[in-house]
Amino acid sequence: TYDITLSASSLVKTAETTERPVDVSLVIDTSGSMRWDASYEKIGKKKVSELDTSKKYYYFEDDTWYELVYYSGHGWYTGYAEYSQNTTPVSNRSSYTVYSKKDNEKSRIQAVKDAATAFVSNLRKTSPNSRVSVTGFSSSVNTNTSLLRVGVESEYNQIISAINGLGSTGGTRQDLGLDAAKNILNASTTADKYVVLLTDGTSDASNYAVNSATAVKNAGIKLMTIGVSLTDETKTWLAGLSSGTGYSFNASSTQEINQAFAFVNQTIED
């Protein structure tokens, strides 16, 4: 497993066109937690009575980000971060380790869309005969394109449109995304086939996810994983789904998500 620590400049390489095409299925988590920011700025432990009522705060509990919002005349309320429903009142005597939004930080789903778009754009330059499919999953598969040629303008535009259309709601069923990608790649006669699985949380059906990942690898498909803002336990679990050393990456910020996709690109091209 690679935790992304290199600078972006260290990943820059001269674009060289290759005649060796690859087929890549991007399998992207679109669960509700993907609307959270990739990272937040830690402030420290505070009593609610010490908080600035003009600001919104965040705290992390049980693998979930929550927000604290003050409503004039009513007091402080809490709810899931980046959702509009803050319905649980909070006592001024309560204490939380609070965070604020970082400057220039993006939501996880937006950071992933941008990085995936850059990945496809780079693949178009270096391997125009390659193909990409896009599968979005949450509690079910919600986006599922066929393999489309990156070097063909109309098909490239379909790929980018599918990426930009990804949302963020529902649960986390990596197995369903992996099954869909395997079905797409099974029909491919290209020698080099990859699934890139990106997720930001534990699975709602972890045993199924393990079985689906095994089926992908047994079909001769390389499985690469990218974890976003995962706990150490989930990092280990996700790395176990991948094809092994050099095929699993972790990111905890917008910049690191970009770098993870850059590593994927390098791995595919090497």
Side-chain angles (χ1 to χ4, degrees):
T1 304
Y2 289 93
D3 286 309
I4 307 302
T5 55
L6 296 183
S7 65
S9 61
S10 69
L11 297 170
V12 173
K13 58 188 290 188
T14 302
E16 297 177 355
T17 303
T18 176
E19 295 301 319
R20 179 178 64 88
V22 296
D23 282 348
V24 182
S25 183
L26 299 177
V27 181
I28 297 174
D29 188 341
T30 63
S31 62
S33 57
M34 287 293 286
R35 70 180 63 185
W36 299 338
D37 282 7
S39 62
Y40 295 88
E41 189 75 41
K42 186 174 181 179
I43 297 172
K45 192 164 186 177
K46 298 280 188 180
K47 286 185 178 179
V48 171
S49 59
E50 298 176 309
L51 301 179
D52 184 338
T53 57
S54 68
K55 296 181 179 179
K56 182 185 290 187
Y57 297 88
Y58 301 86
Y59 65 96
F60 192 68
E61 188 175 277
D62 297 329
D63 292 340
T64 302
W65 281 101
Y66 296 89
E67 61 188 26
L68 291 162
V69 180
Y70 183 82
Y71 295 107
S72 181
H74 298 280
W76 288 93
Y77 284 75
T78 188
Y80 290 117
E82 311 308 337
Y83 285 76
S84 59
Q85 297 177 339
N86 295 298
T87 57
T88 305
V90 176
S91 168
N92 281 337
R93 294 188 297 273
S94 299
S95 295
Y96 297 90
T97 299
V98 293
Y99 297 73
S100 63
K101 278 185 173 291
K102 285 183 177 180
D103 292 339
N104 301 318
E105 188 62 285
K106 300 175 182 177
S107 68
R108 296 175 182 180
I109 191 65
Q110 189 58 56
V112 169
K113 288 180 184 182
D114 293 347
T117 297
F119 166 79
V120 174
S121 178
N122 187 71
L123 189 64
R124 188 184 188 197
K125 296 173 184 174
T126 60
S127 184
N129 293 320
S130 291
R131 299 185 296 176
V132 171
S133 68
V134 180
T135 298
F137 70 90
S138 54
S139 303
S140 60
V141 171
N142 48 64
T143 300
N144 200 35
T145 76
S146 60
L147 285 165
L148 298 165
R149 293 168 292 178
V150 297
V152 176
E153 184 77 18
S154 61
E155 296 187 27
Y156 170 79
N157 289 338
Q158 289 181 60
I159 298 168
I160 301 306
S161 178
I163 291 170
N164 287 332
L166 296 173
S168 53
T169 187
T172 309
R173 290 290 302 270
Q174 292 95 341
D175 58 305
L176 301 180
L178 289 170
D179 291 345
K182 178 178 175 291
N183 288 337
I184 292 168
L185 290 172
N186 272 345
S188 168
T189 58
T190 301
D192 295 318
K193 296 185 281 190
Y194 296 85
V195 168
V196 179
L197 170 66
L198 183 143
T199 188
D200 76 337
T202 55
S203 177
D204 294 338
S206 58
N207 289 337
Y208 288 151
V210 171
N211 292 339
S212 295
T214 300
V216 167
K217 291 179 285 188
N218 286 345
I221 302 166
K222 292 288 194 301
L223 176 53
M224 311 182 77
T225 62
I226 300 174
V228 178
S229 302
L230 300 180
T231 63
D232 288 342
E233 182 179 358
T234 307
K235 285 180 183 179
T236 300
W237 175 81
L238 186 62
L241 299 188
S242 76
S243 290
T245 303
Y247 289 93
S248 184
F249 312 95
N250 292 301
S252 58
S253 68
T254 292
Q255 181 184 17
E256 290 179 0
I257 291 170
N258 292 332
Q259 292 169 0
F261 271 98
F263 271 115
V264 169
N265 208 307
Q266 281 189 341
T267 302
I268 288 173
E269 292 179 0
D270 286 347

